[in-house]
Amino acid sequence: MAEVSAEARIEAPAGKVWAQLTDFSSYGEWNATHTSFPKGGPAPLELGATYEENMKLMGFPAEVVWTVDELEDCRLLTTRGKGPMGVNLAMRYALAPAQDGGATTVRIEGEFTGAAVSLMGGKLKDSATAALQESLRKLDGLVTP
């Protein structure tokens, strides 16, 4: 198993960050691992919704079928996915608004399990952590003026 996480404070209200985070038509503008949605993103975004995503991690393409596992508007989105070679993935996006409501702490956590993960655990963890950090930088750039 490989677990990864990254966190950033974004100087924008949680509603604005959430709107960008869940706008699947512009997902590739901030998500560093995303390449495309072959059939579109989850529409509508709701518990149990499934969708396919093409990704690239460690330079390798992967097709993942995701299911929305948890959903709290403007606070939490958790998805679970099945990828190639028996790899299972989980992604959790948690938003915590600041006391004054003008900024939001965004935390992304990922988990990769399966036999193939144990073979490349260290490299996968480093690559995925870097991708999460890059994604948060890009997300910040899209929602803050």
Side-chain angles (χ1 to χ4, degrees):
M1 175 178 9
E3 294 179 337
V4 296
S5 65
E7 184 175 293
R9 178 182 166 98
I10 296 178
E11 298 298 323
K16 187 173 183 182
V17 176
W18 181 260
Q20 186 66 57
L21 180 82
T22 58
D23 176 5
F24 290 92
S25 67
S26 64
Y27 207 63
E29 293 178 38
W30 67 268
N31 189 310
T33 61
H34 175 79
T35 57
S36 70
F37 291 115
K39 298 178 182 176
L45 180 59
E46 61 187 12
L47 280 176
T50 61
Y51 60 99
E52 295 175 20
E53 180 184 17
N54 291 327
M55 305 173 66
K56 188 173 263 190
L57 194 56
M58 295 180 22
F60 297 103
E63 295 176 1
V64 179
V65 177
W66 293 103
T67 300
V68 177
D69 198 42
E70 292 179 283
L71 182 63
E72 284 181 50
D73 193 44
C74 295
R75 303 213 39 105
L76 179 67
L77 171 62
T78 302
T79 57
R80 298 204 176 276
K82 296 196 178 297
M85 300 187 304
V87 173
N88 293 308
L89 305 90
M91 295 300 297
R92 184 177 195 268
Y93 302 88
L95 281 62
Q99 292 290 339
D100 64 7
T104 306
T105 299
V106 180
R107 180 168 180 81
I108 306 175
E109 298 171 341
E111 179 182 291
F112 303 84
T113 58
V117 174
S118 61
L119 299 174
M120 56 187 170
K123 288 184 180 190
L124 176 61
K125 189 172 184 172
D126 292 346
S127 178
T129 298
L132 292 182
Q133 291 167 340
E134 180 183 348
S135 295
L136 285 171
R137 280 192 303 276
K138 288 180 174 182
L139 182 62
D140 185 14
L142 288 173
V143 296
T144 58

